Amino acid sequence: MDGNGRWAKQHGEERIVGHMNGVRGVREALTGATEIGVRYLTLYAFSTENWNRPQPEVNALMDLLVRTVVNELDELHQNAVRLRAIGDLESLPASCRETLNDAIARTAGNDRITLTLALSYSARWELVQAAQRIGQAVKEGRIDPKDINEQAFEAQLATHGMPDPELLIRTSGEQRISNFLLWQIAYAELWFTPTLWPDFRKDHLFQAVLDYQNRERRFGLISEQVTPS
Ligand code: IPE
Ligand code: MG
């Protein structure tokens, strides 16, 4: 979800006003995804690197997160949204973490769509965590190094149990991944739009999905192998 700061600048406002307006983008993406039957939506809300932004912006973002979760919780629940979070949640302020954990617990039984917030998340952090856990398991004799395969590795990721993303959308004209789900997006289709996140609407999502539907996903095979005859 990129471009909140630039949106604010264009409107002659402080950066945080851009973040506040970014909540609309979240609503649009979530309702759009739910309407078309998407089962998993993962939003990159705050990266490990974002902690190094000016402190007032970090604080405002954390406040906004708590307020948004509190304000939207009833509606999320009514719409059978299951909330999850991935990332170094221990590093979040305690109030934030508690609000989030309450919302996660309250929506745990919902199954229409899983909304995962990546918070204090970076893929390199996640991969290092996985390596540490596997190293520990080896040390304790719970796993033999030659049994470390892709499945064993996947089991240690924060996204364990979730399917790999089929489509990755990045807004604001930047064409890079910026440390997001590096393992999981091995075969994801990428879609970029110059639209800034606060201007993101359902129609952008639908456009991305239509584009996705016209792509041929070969997973390393040749066209004839993946196209039913
Ligand atoms: C994305 O918008 C929101 C977060 C990273 C929290 P930015 O804040 O990165 O907006 P730009 O890139 O400065 O426009
Ligand atoms: Mg940015």
Side-chain angles (χ1 to χ4, degrees), residues 1-7 15 19 45-46 50 53 57 61 172:
M1 301 188 284
D2 201 12
N4 295 352
R6 277 162 285 170
W7 186 95
R15 292 182 57 84
H19 298 313
F46 194 86
N50 287 153
R53 288 191 176 191
E57 180 171 347
L61 274 167
S172 88

Side-chain angles (χ1 to χ4, degrees), residues 93-188:
S95 63
C96 234
R97 199 173 51 235
E98 282 156 24
T99 305
L100 199 62
N101 283 335
D102 287 349
I104 290 169
R106 170 137 179 241
T107 61
N110 296 339
D111 63 359
R112 188 162 179 207
I113 185 170
T114 298
L115 172 66
T116 303
L117 300 178
L119 281 171
S120 191
Y121 172 89
S122 78
R124 287 182 176 181
W125 167 84
E126 180 186 36
L127 293 169
V128 167
Q129 289 277 115
Q132 282 185 5
R133 292 207 196 104
I134 292 171
Q136 190 65 32
V138 168
K139 190 177 166 193
E140 292 169 9
R142 286 183 280 119
I143 186 168
D144 192 306
K146 62 179 186 317
D147 294 331
I148 302 171
N149 53 21
E150 291 189 12
Q151 215 183 342
F153 207 89
E154 193 279 331
Q156 301 306 327
L157 297 176
T159 52
H160 177 52
M162 277 166 50
D164 285 343
E166 295 171 296
L167 173 63
L168 181 139
I169 297 173
R170 181 165 186 159
T171 55
S172 88
E174 311 295 0
Q175 301 194 12
R176 53 177 172 259
I177 303 300
S178 304
N179 220 345
F180 188 53
L181 300 177
L182 293 180
W183 170 282
Q184 297 87 339
I185 61 165
Y187 281 101

Side-chain angles (χ1 to χ4, degrees), residues 47-62:
S47 75
T48 309
E49 291 75 22
N50 287 153
W51 288 114
N52 298 320
R53 288 191 176 191
Q55 196 61 44
E57 180 171 347
V58 171
N59 294 343
L61 274 167
M62 291 298 144

